[in-house]
């Protein structure tokens, strides 16, 4: 079945460091791909999305590119801030289904 | 996009009681969902709330424990019945409109003593 695998956390970085959170997926066909962010004590917020191969989603300095050949959707940011500390979830929506499939989530901690 | 609100935002309940969580979306949506997020875990789908008919439950979740209503296209409720400490979780409402983008409410933090 469809699945999403994220790199394990926590990921601990210093402020202004470069961030990569790896996400790979297994799916039939061409799913839509998402990154959600959950700040402490809050619900999930959509961070960015991509709906087809080679699409790049971007928002708030974060970006991820839909790589069909490697079935990946890695999240990157050039310079993280303390306020980026949160849990990041990679997810896919299968082309012929109604349910989002989530990864396990990756905790990001940014130190000042 | 859809803006989703939930009530209550948090509650502390005694075992054996029930709690109903309300979810309101600011626009008509095609699909509404209820998720559970246990501490430090990812999201688990409880059920899809169907407008005007019984909800569709995922494996491991039953209607007697988690009755769901969806009387219209913008509102749904989830009841957690006969609670035990194992039900302590965050419960999240989610909605999707005509696209495949799904939005989430702020969650209800439930503690059962």
């Amino acid at each position: 079945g469809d699945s999403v695998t994220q790199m394990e956390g926590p990921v601990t970085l210093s402020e202004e460091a470069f961030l990569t959170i790896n996400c790979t997926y297994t799916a039939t066909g061409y799913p839509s791909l998402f990154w959600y962010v959950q700040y402490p004590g809050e619900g999930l917020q959509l961070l960015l999305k991509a709906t087809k191969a080679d699409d790049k989603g971007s928002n708030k300095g974060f970006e991820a590119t839909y790589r069909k050949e490697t079935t990946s959707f890695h999240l990157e940011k050039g310079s993280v801030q303390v306020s980026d500390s949160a849990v990041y979830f990679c997810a896919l929506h299968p082309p012929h289904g109604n349910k989002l499939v989530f990864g396990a989530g990756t905790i990001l901690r940014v130190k000042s | 996009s859809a803006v989703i609100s939930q009530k209550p935002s948090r509650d502390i309940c005694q075992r054996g009681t029930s709690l109903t969580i309300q979810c309101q979306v600011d626009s008509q949506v095609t699909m509404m969902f209820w998720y559970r997020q246990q501490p430090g875990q990812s999201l688990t789908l409880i059920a899809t709330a169907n407008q005007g008919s019984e909800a569709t439950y995922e494996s491991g979740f039953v209607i007697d424990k988690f009755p769901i209503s969806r009387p219209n296209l913008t509102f749904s409720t989830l009841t957690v019945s006969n609670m035990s400490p194992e039900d302590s979780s965050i419960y999240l409402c989610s909605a999707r409109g005509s696209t495949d983008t799904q939005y989430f409410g702020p969650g209800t933090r439930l503690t059962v003593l």
Side-chain angles (χ1 to χ4, degrees):
Chain A
D2 300 333
S3 66
V4 175
T5 302
Q6 290 181 234
M7 66 187 289
E8 285 194 27
V11 173
T12 303
L13 296 172
S14 297
E15 209 164 20
E16 299 184 1
F18 184 85
L19 168 71
T20 300
I21 300 178
N22 291 338
C23 171
T24 58
Y25 68 89
T26 302
T28 304
Y30 301 98
S32 294
L33 300 173
F34 304 86
W35 277 100
Y36 287 88
V37 58
Q38 186 174 34
Y39 297 103
E42 299 185 12
L44 270 69
Q45 297 178 24
L46 177 66
L47 183 58
L48 53 84
K49 64 180 277 190
T51 58
K52 61 183 188 298
D54 300 325
D55 265 2
K56 178 185 284 189
S58 61
N59 186 25
K60 299 181 182 180
F62 291 89
E63 59 183 34
T65 301
Y66 190 143
R67 301 284 188 203
K68 172 177 168 295
E69 63 277 13
T70 54
T71 62
S72 65
F73 193 54
H74 304 322
L75 182 68
E76 296 182 336
K77 187 176 185 184
S79 176
V80 293
Q81 306 300 312
V82 173
S83 57
D84 294 325
S85 298
V87 183
Y88 292 81
F89 291 95
C90 185
L92 69 82
H93 185 263
H96 303 295
N98 281 324
K99 303 172 193 175
L100 271 181
V101 178
F102 282 94
T106 302
I107 297 171
L108 171 64
R109 297 180 179 140
V110 181
K111 309 177 298 183
S112 60
Chain B
S1 67
V3 177
I4 302 173
S5 58
Q6 286 184 233
K7 289 194 295 188
S9 59
R10 61 179 65 240
D11 208 341
I12 301 173
C13 300
Q14 298 296 319
R15 72 170 66 213
T17 62
S18 298
L19 176 72
T20 295
I21 303 167
Q22 297 180 4
C23 175
Q24 180 73 54
V25 189
D26 70 341
S27 57
Q28 293 187 345
V29 290
T30 307
M31 306 198 72
M32 294 183 74
F33 306 90
W34 287 98
Y35 288 82
R36 182 172 71 185
Q37 185 181 26
Q38 294 180 307
Q41 302 295 313
S42 187
L43 281 72
T44 300
L45 180 62
I46 298 171
T48 302
N50 300 310
Q51 194 245 333
S53 65
E54 191 172 290
T56 305
Y57 289 85
E58 298 299 302
S59 175
F61 297 96
V62 295
I63 187 171
D64 289 347
K65 176 66 176 177
F66 297 102
I68 288 170
S69 77
R70 189 181 173 192
N72 57 51
L73 291 175
T74 64
F75 185 80
S76 178
T77 66
L78 167 75
T79 299
V80 186
S81 302
N82 188 24
M83 289 184 283
S84 67
E86 292 70 36
D87 295 319
S88 297
S89 282
I90 301 171
Y91 291 86
L92 292 143
C93 176
S94 180
R96 186 163 73 231
S98 57
T99 70
D100 58 6
T101 301
Q102 206 163 308
Y103 298 92
F104 287 83
T108 295
R109 282 150 186 78
L110 172 61
T111 302
V112 184
L113 303 177

